[in-house]
Amino acid sequence: MPGTTEYVILGACLFALGMAGFLARRNLIVMFLCTEIMFQGVVLTVVGFSQLWANLDGQAYALFLLVIAAVEAGLALGLVVLLYRRRGTLDAEAWSVMRG
Amino acid sequence: MKDFLVTQFGFSLVLAALVFAVIQGAVAYCIYYERKIAAWTQDRYGPNRAGPLGLLQPIADGLKFVFKEDYIPGHVDKILFVLAPGIMFVVCGIGFLILPWGGQLDASTLPWLGSHLQPGERMLSVQVVSLNVGILYLLAVMSMSVYGVVLGGWSSNNKYSFYGAMRACAQMLAYEIPMGLTILVVVLTMGTLRLEEIAAEQAASGVWNVARHPLAALILFITALAEANRAPFDLAEAEQELVGGYHTEYGALKFGLFFLGEYASMITTSALVVVLFLGGWHVWGVSALTMEATSIWAVLAKMTVMAGKVAILIFVYMWVRWSLPRFRFDQLMRLAWKSLVPMSLGLFAAAAGLLYFGLHRSIAACLAVNAVVLAGAVAVASRGRTPITGRQANLVRQAARNDVPLAEVRT
Amino acid sequence: MTPAALYTLYAAFVLGGTGLYFLLPNPDRGKPLAGAALGALGLVALVVAWALIGDAGTGAAFYVLGLVALLCTVRVITHPKPVYSALYFVLTVLAVAALCVLQGAEFLAAALVIIYAGAILVTYVFVIMLAQQSGPSSTDRRSREPFLSVCAGFVTMAVITAHASKALESSVAAGGTPRAEARLASAAAESGAPAGLVEDEAKPSDDGAKRSAPKPVTGNAMALGGAVMTRYMVALQLSGLLLLIAMVGAVAMSRKRVPQEGAVSPRAPLGQAGREVPPY
């Protein structure tokens, strides 16, 4: 059977890449895309574990992750559009007024 | 080799190639069909020069697409500009893989190929792939087709194309929801996600799903029109407003691929409606068109019936196109979100309720539920004071406030 | 996991991380060939590490799909044009869905494609196109603290991997072999679930031969539905509630008209910065 270890490693890679991208990119939309990548990593991991333990708990978690991702996308994109209308840019740096 | 062709895998390969080729040919003749129907609607002759009755016209059209210069404008995003028609073509071309074309085939009745087999020894299903998640595959594929339109419009770097792309994007997102919900109504009724089982069940019981859920069938047909980007939902390519919509900048073969994609998705969506609601390959009273008839001739008859039903639905598509004016965009969105989504949600909830009480196969109960949902929709719509076209809402309110007749406010 | 595999894995992470640092958008550099080379080396090392871990039967499909997923992800976070980022992410989603199919999670794969690629990402593309019609801006050409973010990401990865490998090994040691075939019976017995719940899971996903054979109706979708509607009923209700809240929130947010403010806007009148318009 396909190895769980490999899936976990691949999931960790996706998660870490998403995290690095979230921290490094300045475009708000790309930052949210990066959080979606992190979700993908988690999905791979839980699906791998689901296969390891031969039950469907992991897949059920992944389904709920999809719900969270949809919620997050809806709200985040609404916020991004609001922010864009206010400042006319997608740059996250435009909102660093709180920086000391 | 001979034995490989009568295994399911080899048979699926052959069937995939066959159906793909037939659909490509059918697409070319769909265009001819459409032009003839348009001419009939408008009391003209239609194409009648190339060959008898103009039958060679599609070939001439196809050759024209192939031999024109494949021009890429200078201001476009080249990669996506080339990729978009490809996406459209591939996505629309792989949807049919899941469709059941003719029930089961007894391999021993195949001439020459199955001569060494005993009758009933090997049954093949006349379907390229039979997936556990069946219809979800088709939904997934159809949800990908929006990328072709959107990328084509965006990469053209032209504001008309861009508006077309934005419209297509919003439209596809909106109409996917009622489409999914009405499909789920059928899934609840039939208790399976597999299209071949849905078709077989209708053939076995002799009751097509349209008899149970006519409203759901109508909603599915409307959303299928919208998903295939057909009139009256072809806002993405509204010539009068947007030049050519998302394919304004396209020409030659790439435009031809968009065209092929549109007609192929028409065929796929109408085949979906046929399988879900119109009994697939089944017709009453013909012994060749039952589950038990598995000889090659029965299968061919079933495929012919299925193709005939698809052709009838495509005729309805074209009839609608040449009869109805195009929606305005706000009307389109209102139709999706304020009427189709609530109605299909109601149908879905009702189907779940029927399933709970074990009445999901009862025609009378299903029809009653449909009637209730329709009556509710009509009641809500007639209680609204504003005209159904929407934009004059302010005028109506103004007329009510100032106590003058509406006609005076309009002038 | 053998030490050799673990060290190869860490080498892969270091190589890949360094490559990623050079690949992140930076207008002061030319084409990041060195970064691409390092990243490719990192991927090769990753494949070697996978091969060294070597669960039998992982198969070529896993390697191909895994590499596609990784490469596309790297392009998502390094591409200077957001539209291309979103499109590469579509490819990532498709690869992940295919990987789910390899693990027997067919329903999840279909749901991923329909929800992610078909709805969420279309919305993203929609917003990107609305907000950014004129080529890449400076926002996308320069990244913020690339070194620190790459470090953070790859330290996270190393920690996860180390812990996960340890946890996997200890679970294997404790419970014998928790592989699907071995655990099949006990899992069904423990959870008290009907046998159909694990029926489809247990089969290794071979291709071709099984694909078209008539299967029993209880597939992955039905089993998963059973699990979600029984054991996870409360979570299901809660997620419905969450979706409702999000919908109300999104509608409430987007109905509000916001005045455009700030000197960042190109339409702000000249000479007013610092008086009516805050200087940013």
Side-chain angles (χ1 to χ4, degrees), chain B residues 265-298:
Chain B
S265 79
M266 268 169 72
I267 294 178
T268 312
T269 49
S270 42
L272 176 70
V273 177
V274 166
V275 170
L276 288 183
F277 283 104
L278 300 177
W281 34 259
H282 172 251
V283 170
W284 300 282
V286 186
S287 62
L289 301 173
T290 53
M291 266 317 271
E292 290 77 40
T294 51
S295 73
I296 177 69
W297 305 113

Side-chain angles (χ1 to χ4, degrees), chain B residues 163-325:
Chain B
Y163 285 140
M166 307 300 314
R167 286 176 172 191
C169 202
Q171 177 185 332
M172 298 253 183
L173 280 179
Y175 281 84
E176 236 162 53
I177 297 164
M179 173 175 247
L181 285 170
T182 43
I183 288 176
L184 282 181
V185 170
V186 179
V187 170
L188 280 181
T189 310
M190 289 287 148
T192 175
L193 286 170
R194 290 169 183 266
L195 284 169
E196 71 272 27
E197 284 173 9
I198 292 176
E201 198 113 351
Q202 292 180 76
S205 65
V207 181
W208 296 357
N209 278 327
V210 70
R212 294 194 177 101
H213 290 288
L215 188 59
L218 184 66
I219 294 178
L220 183 66
F221 180 71
I222 293 173
T223 53
L225 279 178
E227 288 285 314
N229 247 324
R230 294 283 301 179
F233 300 103
D234 59 345
L235 273 290
E237 41 192 307
E239 304 86 8
Q240 293 86 344
E241 308 154 33
L242 296 181
V243 192
Y246 63 90
H247 50 56
T248 302
E249 300 283 351
Y250 282 92
L253 196 58
K254 291 200 283 295
F255 176 73
L257 287 182
F258 270 126
F259 223 70
L260 275 181
E262 183 187 327
Y263 280 86
S265 79
M266 268 169 72
I267 294 178
T268 312
T269 49
S270 42
L272 176 70
V273 177
V274 166
V275 170
L276 288 183
F277 283 104
L278 300 177
W281 34 259
H282 172 251
V283 170
W284 300 282
V286 186
S287 62
L289 301 173
T290 53
M291 266 317 271
E292 290 77 40
T294 51
S295 73
I296 177 69
W297 305 113
V299 165
L300 285 179
K302 286 177 188 175
M303 292 173 98
T304 315
V305 168
M306 175 100 177
K309 287 187 185 177
V310 170
I312 292 174
L313 263 190
I314 286 178
F315 167 73
V316 180
Y317 272 55
M318 294 171 177
W319 184 18
V320 166
R321 170 170 176 185
W322 294 100
S323 310
L324 293 183

Side-chain angles (χ1 to χ4, degrees), chain B residues 23-46:
Chain B
I23 283 187
Q24 294 315 317
V27 161
Y29 274 89
C30 266
I31 297 169
Y32 171 77
Y33 190 35
E34 170 129 44
R35 291 178 64 181
K36 277 289 186 195
I37 288 172
W40 170 71
T41 314
Q42 299 171 341
D43 202 11
R44 299 185 274 116
Y45 286 115

Side-chain angles (χ1 to χ4, degrees), chain A:
Chain A
M1 65 145 255
T4 308
T5 321
E6 282 94 326
Y7 272 75
V8 172
I9 290 171
L10 186 60
C13 288
L14 289 191
F15 190 87
L17 282 171
M19 185 165 164
F22 185 78
L23 294 171
R25 294 301 295 264
R26 288 163 61 202
N27 188 317
L28 282 169
I29 296 180
V30 180
M31 284 168 71
F32 280 112
L33 272 182
C34 290
T35 61
E36 305 283 349
I37 294 178
M38 289 153 83
F39 277 123
Q40 297 291 312
V42 178
V43 165
L44 271 184
T45 313
V46 292
V47 168
F49 281 128
S50 168
Q51 179 79 349
L52 177 71
W53 295 104
N55 59 28
L56 291 166
D57 292 356
Q59 294 183 27
Y61 287 150
L63 270 189
F64 292 124
L65 269 176
L66 276 183
V67 173
I68 304 292
V71 167
E72 183 244 339
L75 286 180
L77 285 175
L79 276 175
V80 166
V81 170
L82 275 189
L83 296 178
Y84 175 74
R85 278 202 225 144
R86 226 170 238 266
R87 290 282 158 85
T89 173
L90 286 175
D91 195 347
E93 302 279 316
W95 294 93
S96 56
V97 280
M98 295 287 275
R99 182 182 277 173

Side-chain angles (χ1 to χ4, degrees), chain C residues 23-62:
Chain C
L23 282 171
L24 278 172
N26 185 343
D28 304 336
R29 278 196 289 266
K31 290 216 172 214
L33 290 177
L38 277 175
L41 272 181
L43 284 180
V44 171
L46 186 64
V47 171
V48 172
W50 274 337
L52 283 176
I53 295 166
D55 278 322
T58 307
F62 171 78

Side-chain angles (χ1 to χ4, degrees), chain A residues 25-34 37 77 80 84 89-91, chain B residues 77 80 147 150-151 154, chain C residues 25 72-91 120-142:
Chain A
R25 294 301 295 264
R26 288 163 61 202
N27 188 317
L28 282 169
I29 296 180
V30 180
M31 284 168 71
F32 280 112
L33 272 182
C34 290
I37 294 178
L77 285 175
V80 166
Y84 175 74
T89 173
L90 286 175
D91 195 347
Chain B
D77 187 323
L80 293 185
Y147 285 104
V150 168
L151 294 181
W154 185 79
Chain C
C72 294
T73 308
V74 170
R75 286 310 280 154
V76 173
I77 65 177
T78 57
H79 208 287
K81 290 183 187 167
V83 172
Y84 279 81
S85 285
L87 291 178
Y88 275 114
F89 189 49
V90 175
L91 280 182
I120 297 182
L121 279 166
V122 176
T123 323
Y124 269 96
V125 171
F126 192 79
V127 172
I128 291 172
M129 288 179 178
L130 266 185
Q132 212 161 27
Q133 296 173 31
S134 52
S137 63
S138 67
T139 314
D140 297 308
R141 264 181 276 139
R142 185 180 293 281

